[in-house]
Short mmCIF file of all heavy atoms in Angstrom, two decimals:
data_model
loop_
_atom_site.label_atom_id
_atom_site.label_comp_id
_atom_site.label_asym_id
_atom_site.label_seq_id
_atom_site.Cartn_x
_atom_site.Cartn_y
_atom_site.Cartn_z
N HIS L 191 36.72 32.78 1.38
CA HIS L 191 38.04 33.18 0.87
C HIS L 191 38.83 33.90 1.96
O HIS L 191 40.03 33.64 2.15
CB HIS L 191 37.86 34.07 -0.36
CG HIS L 191 39.16 34.57 -0.93
ND1 HIS L 191 39.76 35.74 -0.50
CD2 HIS L 191 39.99 34.06 -1.89
CE1 HIS L 191 40.88 35.93 -1.16
NE2 HIS L 191 41.04 34.92 -2.01
N ASP L 192 38.18 34.82 2.67
CA ASP L 192 38.85 35.58 3.72
C ASP L 192 39.38 34.67 4.84
O ASP L 192 40.41 34.95 5.45
CB ASP L 192 37.92 36.64 4.30
CG ASP L 192 37.59 37.75 3.30
OD1 ASP L 192 38.34 37.87 2.32
OD2 ASP L 192 36.61 38.48 3.51
N HIS L 193 38.65 33.59 5.10
CA HIS L 193 39.04 32.68 6.18
C HIS L 193 39.91 31.52 5.67
O HIS L 193 40.29 30.66 6.47
CB HIS L 193 37.80 32.12 6.86
CG HIS L 193 37.11 33.07 7.79
ND1 HIS L 193 37.56 33.35 9.05
CD2 HIS L 193 36.01 33.85 7.64
CE1 HIS L 193 36.78 34.23 9.63
NE2 HIS L 193 35.83 34.57 8.79
N GLY L 194 40.15 31.49 4.35
CA GLY L 194 40.94 30.40 3.81
C GLY L 194 40.21 29.06 3.82
O GLY L 194 40.85 28.02 3.98
N ILE L 195 38.91 29.09 3.66
CA ILE L 195 38.10 27.87 3.70
C ILE L 195 37.76 27.41 2.30
O ILE L 195 37.36 28.19 1.45
CB ILE L 195 36.79 28.13 4.50
CG1 ILE L 195 37.11 28.57 5.92
CG2 ILE L 195 35.93 26.87 4.52
CD1 ILE L 195 37.87 27.56 6.74
N ASP L 196 37.93 26.12 2.03
CA ASP L 196 37.55 25.52 0.76
C ASP L 196 36.07 25.15 0.81
O ASP L 196 35.68 24.22 1.53
CB ASP L 196 38.41 24.27 0.51
CG ASP L 196 38.10 23.61 -0.83
OD1 ASP L 196 37.24 24.15 -1.58
OD2 ASP L 196 38.71 22.58 -1.15
N VAL L 197 35.24 25.89 0.09
CA VAL L 197 33.79 25.68 0.19
C VAL L 197 33.38 24.30 -0.33
O VAL L 197 32.33 23.80 0.04
CB VAL L 197 33.00 26.78 -0.58
CG1 VAL L 197 33.17 28.11 0.10
CG2 VAL L 197 33.47 26.88 -2.03
N SER L 198 34.21 23.69 -1.17
CA SER L 198 33.84 22.37 -1.69
C SER L 198 33.90 21.29 -0.63
O SER L 198 33.40 20.19 -0.81
CB SER L 198 34.77 22.01 -2.86
OG SER L 198 36.10 21.79 -2.40
N ARG L 199 34.51 21.61 0.52
CA ARG L 199 34.62 20.64 1.60
C ARG L 199 33.71 20.97 2.77
O ARG L 199 33.85 20.45 3.86
CB ARG L 199 36.09 20.55 2.07
CG ARG L 199 37.05 20.16 0.95
CD ARG L 199 38.46 19.93 1.50
NE ARG L 199 38.55 18.77 2.35
CZ ARG L 199 38.66 17.52 1.92
NH1 ARG L 199 38.67 17.26 0.61
NH2 ARG L 199 38.73 16.51 2.75
N ILE L 200 32.78 21.90 2.52
CA ILE L 200 31.83 22.29 3.57
C ILE L 200 30.47 21.67 3.26
O ILE L 200 29.99 21.73 2.12
CB ILE L 200 31.70 23.83 3.64
CG1 ILE L 200 33.05 24.44 4.01
CG2 ILE L 200 30.63 24.21 4.67
CD1 ILE L 200 33.55 24.07 5.38
N ILE L 201 29.85 21.09 4.26
CA ILE L 201 28.49 20.58 4.13
C ILE L 201 27.56 21.63 4.72
O ILE L 201 27.60 21.91 5.92
CB ILE L 201 28.32 19.24 4.84
CG1 ILE L 201 29.18 18.16 4.19
CG2 ILE L 201 26.85 18.80 4.85
CD1 ILE L 201 29.08 16.80 4.81
N GLY L 202 26.72 22.21 3.89
CA GLY L 202 25.84 23.31 4.30
C GLY L 202 24.70 22.84 5.19
O GLY L 202 24.22 21.71 5.07
N THR L 203 24.26 23.72 6.06
CA THR L 203 23.12 23.44 6.93
C THR L 203 21.85 24.15 6.47
O THR L 203 20.82 24.05 7.14
CB THR L 203 23.44 23.88 8.39
OG1 THR L 203 23.73 25.29 8.38
CG2 THR L 203 24.63 23.12 8.91
N GLY L 204 21.94 24.88 5.36
CA GLY L 204 20.76 25.56 4.85
C GLY L 204 19.83 24.62 4.10
O GLY L 204 20.07 23.40 4.04
N VAL L 205 18.77 25.17 3.54
CA VAL L 205 17.81 24.37 2.80
C VAL L 205 18.48 23.67 1.65
O VAL L 205 19.18 24.28 0.85
CB VAL L 205 16.67 25.27 2.30
CG1 VAL L 205 15.70 24.47 1.42
CG2 VAL L 205 15.91 25.89 3.49
N GLY L 206 18.29 22.36 1.55
CA GLY L 206 18.86 21.60 0.45
C GLY L 206 20.37 21.55 0.51
O GLY L 206 21.03 21.32 -0.50
N GLY L 207 20.98 21.74 1.70
CA GLY L 207 22.42 21.68 1.82
C GLY L 207 23.12 22.95 1.46
O GLY L 207 24.34 22.99 1.30
N ARG L 208 22.37 24.05 1.33
CA ARG L 208 22.99 25.34 0.95
C ARG L 208 23.96 25.79 2.02
O ARG L 208 23.69 25.68 3.22
CB ARG L 208 21.92 26.39 0.73
CG ARG L 208 22.46 27.79 0.48
CD ARG L 208 21.42 28.69 -0.11
NE ARG L 208 21.09 28.28 -1.47
CZ ARG L 208 20.19 28.91 -2.23
NH1 ARG L 208 19.55 29.96 -1.78
NH2 ARG L 208 19.96 28.48 -3.46
N ILE L 209 25.11 26.28 1.60
CA ILE L 209 26.16 26.73 2.52
C ILE L 209 25.83 28.15 2.98
O ILE L 209 25.64 29.05 2.16
CB ILE L 209 27.53 26.68 1.86
CG1 ILE L 209 27.86 25.23 1.46
CG2 ILE L 209 28.61 27.22 2.79
CD1 ILE L 209 29.13 25.08 0.66
N ARG L 210 25.77 28.36 4.29
CA ARG L 210 25.47 29.65 4.88
C ARG L 210 26.70 30.25 5.54
O ARG L 210 27.71 29.55 5.71
CB ARG L 210 24.32 29.50 5.91
CG ARG L 210 23.08 28.84 5.35
CD ARG L 210 22.10 28.46 6.43
NE ARG L 210 21.70 29.64 7.20
CZ ARG L 210 21.50 29.62 8.51
NH1 ARG L 210 21.68 28.51 9.20
NH2 ARG L 210 21.12 30.72 9.15
N LYS L 211 26.59 31.53 5.93
CA LYS L 211 27.71 32.19 6.57
C LYS L 211 28.10 31.46 7.87
O LYS L 211 29.29 31.35 8.18
CB LYS L 211 27.37 33.65 6.86
CG LYS L 211 27.25 34.52 5.63
CD LYS L 211 27.23 35.99 5.99
CE LYS L 211 26.01 36.34 6.79
NZ LYS L 211 25.91 37.80 7.06
N ASP L 212 27.11 30.99 8.62
CA ASP L 212 27.42 30.30 9.87
C ASP L 212 28.24 29.04 9.63
O ASP L 212 29.07 28.67 10.49
CB ASP L 212 26.09 29.92 10.58
CG ASP L 212 25.37 31.15 11.12
OD1 ASP L 212 26.00 32.21 11.18
OD2 ASP L 212 24.18 31.03 11.47
N ASP L 213 28.03 28.37 8.50
CA ASP L 213 28.82 27.18 8.20
C ASP L 213 30.30 27.53 8.00
O ASP L 213 31.19 26.79 8.43
CB ASP L 213 28.27 26.48 6.94
CG ASP L 213 26.82 26.05 7.12
OD1 ASP L 213 26.47 25.63 8.23
OD2 ASP L 213 26.06 26.16 6.14
N ILE L 214 30.52 28.64 7.31
CA ILE L 214 31.91 29.08 7.08
C ILE L 214 32.56 29.46 8.40
O ILE L 214 33.70 29.09 8.69
CB ILE L 214 31.94 30.27 6.10
CG1 ILE L 214 31.31 29.86 4.76
CG2 ILE L 214 33.36 30.76 5.89
CD1 ILE L 214 31.99 28.74 4.05
N LEU L 215 31.84 30.24 9.22
CA LEU L 215 32.40 30.68 10.50
C LEU L 215 32.68 29.50 11.42
O LEU L 215 33.68 29.46 12.13
CB LEU L 215 31.44 31.66 11.16
CG LEU L 215 31.28 33.01 10.47
CD1 LEU L 215 30.18 33.84 11.14
CD2 LEU L 215 32.59 33.79 10.48
N ALA L 216 31.78 28.50 11.40
CA ALA L 216 31.97 27.33 12.23
C ALA L 216 33.20 26.56 11.76
O ALA L 216 33.99 26.05 12.58
CB ALA L 216 30.72 26.43 12.19
N ALA L 217 33.38 26.44 10.45
CA ALA L 217 34.54 25.72 9.92
C ALA L 217 35.83 26.46 10.24
O ALA L 217 36.87 25.84 10.48
CB ALA L 217 34.41 25.56 8.40
N ALA L 218 35.77 27.76 10.29
CA ALA L 218 36.96 28.54 10.59
C ALA L 218 37.24 28.59 12.09
O ALA L 218 38.33 28.99 12.52
CB ALA L 218 36.82 29.96 10.05
N GLY L 219 36.25 28.19 12.90
CA GLY L 219 36.43 28.23 14.34
C GLY L 219 36.52 29.65 14.89
O GLY L 219 37.10 29.87 15.95
N GLN L 220 35.91 30.59 14.17
CA GLN L 220 36.00 32.00 14.57
C GLN L 220 34.63 32.64 14.48
O GLN L 220 34.46 33.68 13.89
CB GLN L 220 36.99 32.75 13.69
CG GLN L 220 38.41 32.23 13.79
CD GLN L 220 39.35 32.96 12.86
OE1 GLN L 220 38.92 33.80 12.08
NE2 GLN L 220 40.61 32.64 12.93
N ALA L 221 33.61 32.00 15.04
CA ALA L 221 32.27 32.52 14.93
C ALA L 221 32.07 33.85 15.66
O ALA L 221 31.14 34.58 15.39
CB ALA L 221 31.27 31.50 15.49
N SER L 222 32.98 34.16 16.56
CA SER L 222 32.79 35.37 17.36
C SER L 222 33.67 36.53 16.94
O SER L 222 33.57 37.60 17.48
CB SER L 222 33.04 35.06 18.84
OG SER L 222 34.36 34.64 19.04
N GLN L 223 34.58 36.31 15.98
CA GLN L 223 35.45 37.40 15.59
C GLN L 223 35.80 37.29 14.11
O GLN L 223 35.86 36.19 13.57
CB GLN L 223 36.75 37.39 16.42
CG GLN L 223 37.57 36.09 16.30
CD GLN L 223 38.79 36.09 17.17
OE1 GLN L 223 38.95 36.97 18.01
NE2 GLN L 223 39.66 35.13 16.99
N PRO L 224 36.01 38.39 13.43
CA PRO L 224 36.35 38.36 12.01
C PRO L 224 37.75 37.85 11.77
O PRO L 224 38.59 37.87 12.67
CB PRO L 224 36.22 39.84 11.60
CG PRO L 224 36.48 40.60 12.85
CD PRO L 224 35.93 39.75 13.97
#
Side-chain angles (χ1 to χ4, degrees):
H191 178 271
D192 292 343
H193 284 282
I195 300 298
D196 182 1
V197 293
S198 68
R199 302 186 68 80
I200 298 295
I201 295 180
T203 59
V205 175
R208 174 164 291 180
I209 299 174
R210 305 169 58 218
K211 291 193 296 185
D212 290 346
D213 300 323
I214 301 299
L215 292 173
Q220 297 177 356
S222 61
Q223 60 182 10

